[in-house]
Amino acid sequence: MATIFIPAPHFPPSAMPPSQRVRLLVRHLHTLGWKPVIFTVDHYYREELADPWMLDITGDQFEKVEVGCLDQRKTRKFKIGDLGIRMFFHLFFSLLKHARKRKPALILYPVPPWYIMVMAPFIKWFSGVPYAIDYIDPWIFKVPENDRKAKMSQWVARTLEGFVVKRSSAIFAVSQGILNDLISRYPVVKSIPLVPVPYGVEPTDFLTIKVSRPENEKVILRYTGAVSSAMLPVADALFKALRLVNQQIPLQVEFTGTSYAGIGLAQPVLEPLIIENDVQSFVTENPNRVGYRTALELSMGADMQLLMGDTTQYYAASKLMGMVASGRPFFAFVHKGSFPSTFLDSLNFAGKVDFIASELNDEKTIRELADSLLNAIRRRHEFNPIDINNSSLNQHTAFAMAQTFSNTLQKIVHE
């Protein structure tokens, strides 16, 4: 059995998307001939909510190595909160020590936090162990002109990303769009395996979820998850459409966990748009993130779940497969040509409207969205769940995701 090192700053009991990605991998890698060794920190050093259930559903077929970390309660005074920065040197020396001693077949760096991948070439040079990168989100993206901290982070990204990816043995990403952007910046990476691996889903996650649906004259729509700046124009269009729908059917629309910030740091993300569109009478926002189990209970307890894309085509939507596997009604408003759009098309899913970013404010787009939402809500009791054995869905289970990783990694190791 080959050993694979995975530095995972976010790992259960964290329920952040990078933690979800890694826990789905380690749940199945051992059945595919790998022994995963996770390098992480004690949850004390993370700023997100702990979800004990995440530990239960991760299994125990992995080894965990905890490394040191600077305390965010102290580093925040100097405006440093990024977990990758705070644990960087502790992780570097621990990885190097173990890599030299144990000689794993490969090191897989899931990012974000992106800064940890900067150490990858140096670990390779000093230990001889090859590495691969898994992009859960792109490191280089547009940031507001007035955000100095974000602009500095992007300068670092543009300076160092090429140095790292050009020396990688393979690059994975949650969408083909992220890989296409990398190729446009660094054409030389076309010579290594570039593998799109969308988020997988573990169907057993839903078996113990107890759904509570309060009696309500209003139709409850829920979105649970973070909202990025690239999603704000999409949310704006959605609010305009929801206002029209609310004139026909009374709605109760709830957005939960919209901020990326940790405990005690979250601020409303959608509030200005909610007020601007005058939908505060039926739309509420709780920016605080919730645990995975709570998120599933909220989503499955709604009359209809909401899925939003963003203004980029590479956004893969970590919630997508979970919504499909949940068996509960949902509605998707996603970018034309994005993976969520093409995947739902492969399922012949009717509850979807595609958008083009430049046309989000068009009256035609808003009206089409409102009409489709109204139709989906009225016909929600006719919703036909996607069969878990559907061939398209089967390609995106957690096991299938792990198998895709394994197939590529096996080729690297045996070259």
Side-chain angles (χ1 to χ4, degrees):
M1 183 169 284
T3 297
I4 180 171
F5 285 3
I6 306 177
H10 299 283
F11 190 69
S14 168
M16 297 286 280
S19 176
Q20 295 281 9
R21 180 84 156 180
V22 176
R23 71 101 179 171
L24 292 173
L25 269 178
V26 301
R27 186 176 174 90
H28 296 285
L29 278 178
H30 71 282
T31 65
L32 297 166
W34 296 91
K35 179 183 178 181
V37 180
I38 307 299
F39 289 77
T40 189
V41 297
D42 186 274
H43 196 76
Y44 173 86
Y45 296 108
R46 303 190 189 107
E47 295 182 308
E48 61 262 29
L49 189 72
D51 183 350
W53 189 53
M54 284 289 291
L55 297 173
D56 296 337
I57 59 179
T58 301
D60 58 3
Q61 298 299 311
F62 62 92
E63 179 185 338
K64 185 169 73 170
V65 177
E66 286 192 357
V67 306
C69 185
L70 297 178
D71 192 332
Q72 66 273 23
R73 296 155 189 83
K74 297 177 181 177
T75 61
R76 279 284 175 189
K77 297 175 183 178
F78 304 97
K79 300 187 182 300
I80 298 174
D82 187 283
L83 181 55
I85 294 176
R86 291 189 289 111
M87 69 182 293
F88 187 91
F89 290 106
H90 296 90
L91 177 61
F92 175 83
F93 289 112
S94 182
L95 266 179
L96 181 58
K97 171 186 165 184
H98 286 271
R100 281 174 165 172
K101 182 178 180 180
R102 302 176 63 173
K103 293 295 181 182
L106 184 132
I107 303 176
L108 176 66
Y109 294 82
V111 293
W114 298 281
Y115 292 106
I116 67 168
M117 76 185 209
V118 175
M119 69 181 69
F122 299 98
I123 300 288
K124 179 180 178 180
W125 286 337
F126 294 133
S127 69
V129 177
Y131 67 89
I133 303 166
D134 178 27
Y135 276 91
I136 299 167
D137 283 308
W139 195 5
I140 294 177
F141 51 88
K142 290 182 180 180
V143 297
E145 285 295 323
N146 60 352
D147 191 333
R148 287 186 178 182
K149 187 176 179 181
K151 290 190 73 174
M152 176 60 73
S153 176
Q154 284 300 291
W155 178 83
V156 173
R158 293 179 186 279
T159 302
L160 296 177
E161 183 182 58
F163 168 73
V164 178
V165 299
K166 291 174 184 178
R167 291 160 176 81
S168 180
S169 294
I171 301 175
F172 302 89
V174 296
S175 73
Q176 183 63 49
I178 294 177
L179 297 174
N180 291 342
D181 283 352
L182 287 172
I183 293 171
S184 69
R185 289 194 294 273
Y186 322 107
V188 69
V189 301
K190 287 190 290 185
S191 64
I192 63 174
L194 302 173
V195 187
V197 192
Y199 284 97
V201 63
E202 188 61 65
T204 58
D205 287 354
F206 302 89
L207 297 180
T208 62
I209 299 300
K210 296 180 180 179
V211 177
S212 174
R213 300 190 187 93
E215 292 186 11
N216 197 327
E217 293 182 357
K218 298 182 177 181
V219 176
I220 300 175
L221 308 182
R222 285 178 177 151
Y223 175 94
T224 307
V227 175
S228 68
S229 58
M231 296 175 75
L232 294 178
V234 184
D236 185 41
L238 180 62
F239 290 154
K240 287 177 169 61
L242 287 170
R243 185 178 178 184
L244 296 175
V245 173
N246 190 59
Q247 294 170 4
Q248 302 291 321
I249 297 177
L251 300 178
Q252 179 178 321
V253 186
E254 303 170 3
F255 287 80
T256 304
T258 52
S259 173
Y260 284 96
I263 297 173
L265 301 170
Q267 297 293 326
V269 177
L270 296 170
E271 188 175 86
L273 289 177
I274 292 173
I275 294 172
E276 180 183 322
N277 286 287
D278 193 25
V279 293
Q280 60 267 42
S281 62
F282 66 94
V283 178
T284 60
E285 176 189 14
N286 172 14
N288 296 303
R289 297 185 73 91
V290 296
Y292 180 47
R293 188 183 188 95
T294 301
L296 291 185
E297 290 171 346
L298 284 171
S299 297
M300 294 179 68
D303 291 304
M304 183 171 289
Q305 306 168 77
L306 294 174
L307 178 70
M308 282 195 303
D310 71 12
T311 53
T312 68
Q313 274 196 330
Y314 59 67
Y315 178 65
S318 61
K319 295 170 283 295
L320 172 62
M321 294 303 166
M323 286 189 178
V324 174
S326 73
R328 296 287 299 143
F330 71 94
F331 183 89
F333 185 42
V334 291
H335 199 298
K336 185 176 181 179
S338 65
F339 172 75
S341 174
T342 57
F343 175 70
L344 291 173
D345 282 343
S346 74
L347 298 175
N348 296 315
F349 183 74
K352 172 178 76 77
V353 169
D354 288 342
F355 65 80
I356 298 173
S358 61
E359 299 176 359
L360 277 168
N361 285 322
D362 291 0
E363 185 177 340
K364 180 182 177 182
T365 300
I366 305 301
R367 174 52 64 183
E368 179 189 358
L369 176 58
D371 290 345
S372 297
L373 263 169
L374 188 60
N375 182 59
I377 290 170
R378 284 174 170 163
R379 303 186 64 177
R380 66 189 184 279
H381 298 299
E382 302 171 22
F383 180 80
N384 290 316
I386 307 299
D387 188 338
I388 199 65
N389 294 313
N390 179 283
S391 58
S392 293
L393 181 56
N394 252 326
Q395 296 175 36
H396 299 289
T397 61
F399 178 78
M401 183 186 83
Q403 194 166 44
T404 301
F405 272 93
S406 178
N407 290 343
T408 300
L409 298 178
Q410 291 282 7
K411 292 177 184 177
I412 295 171
V413 170
H414 291 107
E415 280 182 350

